Amino acid sequence: MIPAGRRVVDDYEAAAMMGIARGTLRNTQAWKPLAAAVVSRGRTRLYDHRRLRQLLAGETPEPLPTTEDEKDLLDVEEARQQIPTDRLLAASTWRSYICDGTGPPPDTTIAGVPFWYRATLPAWLANRSGRGTGGGRPAGTPDTRPRTLTADRHQLANQRRVRVRDYLTTRPRPTSADLTELAAELGISPRHARRLAAEARDG
């Protein structure tokens, strides 16, 4: 979670603050002493800028806010966990919802990673029809409406492609486990991640 109002930086910026290359940061695991500044993990680590700066200066980092704020930014799994237990979706279902536009669109993306405001999930749930409430096309009826990308979804799709291309520069032959983890980071299905990786290699 990224607390409301906090600036974050990725490995590129963290490495620059340390005066080293990003590859050196990763290969030597130079980020580990800075773990107290990490606010979002995964293939794309994000650091709280203020705490990172304090750690690099040899200072004790200030505590992060502990109270919830509607402007807190949640990653794909943290957003899913905001759904009440009686309506909680499986992780794979949630990722497919995000991928196909059924779920709430991300409020922002940082370093190619989608995030949602804490307040977004209750609003989405309130507007979402529950099972068995009617509406939609009858079961078995094909969806004949053309699917279009909104500007936000088009931008997110492009950011995902950029992130996958960047990922392949460090892991040109990713394993299935790698792609599954990358898919979770990007809020998409593993199948979608494999397709994006194939497109990046072919392109």
Side-chain angles (χ1 to χ4, degrees):
M1 180 195 77
I2 301 174
R6 304 289 292 199
R7 178 189 170 194
V8 295
V9 297
D10 61 9
D11 275 349
Y12 282 104
E13 293 176 272
M17 291 171 68
M18 298 174 70
I20 60 177
R22 187 194 66 156
T24 302
L25 175 76
R26 291 188 170 184
N27 295 337
T28 64
Q29 297 187 329
W31 62 270
K32 283 193 171 182
L34 310 173
V38 176
V39 290
S40 182
R41 300 179 184 274
R43 291 297 179 186
T44 301
R45 261 184 308 272
L46 296 174
Y47 310 78
D48 182 86
H49 179 262
R50 194 178 306 167
R51 285 170 64 88
L52 177 60
R53 188 180 59 200
Q54 291 165 340
L55 284 169
L56 291 175
E59 302 171 1
T60 300
E62 64 184 46
L64 289 170
T66 56
T67 55
E68 293 185 354
D69 189 287
E70 64 179 13
K71 289 295 186 180
D72 290 339
L73 287 171
L74 311 178
D75 65 22
V76 65
E77 177 57 21
E78 291 166 338
R80 185 180 77 91
Q81 292 297 331
Q82 294 300 300
I83 301 174
T85 303
D86 61 340
R87 300 179 66 183
L88 186 62
L89 301 169
S92 58
T93 301
W94 176 244
R95 286 195 298 269
S96 70
Y97 274 26
I98 298 303
C99 181
D100 67 16
T102 303
D107 291 298
T108 188
T109 57
I110 302 173
V113 181
F115 286 92
W116 290 260
Y117 289 126
R118 187 181 296 279
T120 295
L121 277 299
W124 175 74
L125 286 169
N127 292 326
R128 179 174 179 254
S129 297
R131 293 183 179 179
T133 58
R137 64 183 186 276
T141 303
D143 185 359
T144 58
R145 294 176 301 172
R147 295 195 174 201
T148 58
L149 285 177
T150 64
D152 287 345
R153 289 180 62 197
H154 184 72
Q155 181 182 23
L156 177 59
N158 285 335
Q159 289 172 332
R160 284 171 174 160
R161 292 188 182 96
V162 170
R163 172 68 185 113
V164 170
R165 286 197 297 269
D166 177 63
Y167 179 79
L168 291 178
T169 62
T170 57
R171 288 180 180 268
R173 299 177 67 86
T175 65
S176 294
D178 290 333
L179 290 175
T180 297
E181 187 172 348
L182 179 63
E185 172 192 317
L186 297 179
I188 60 178
S189 67
R191 181 179 180 182
H192 190 181
R194 287 194 294 272
R195 185 168 69 249
L196 290 178
E199 290 176 358
R201 284 192 293 264
D202 293 343

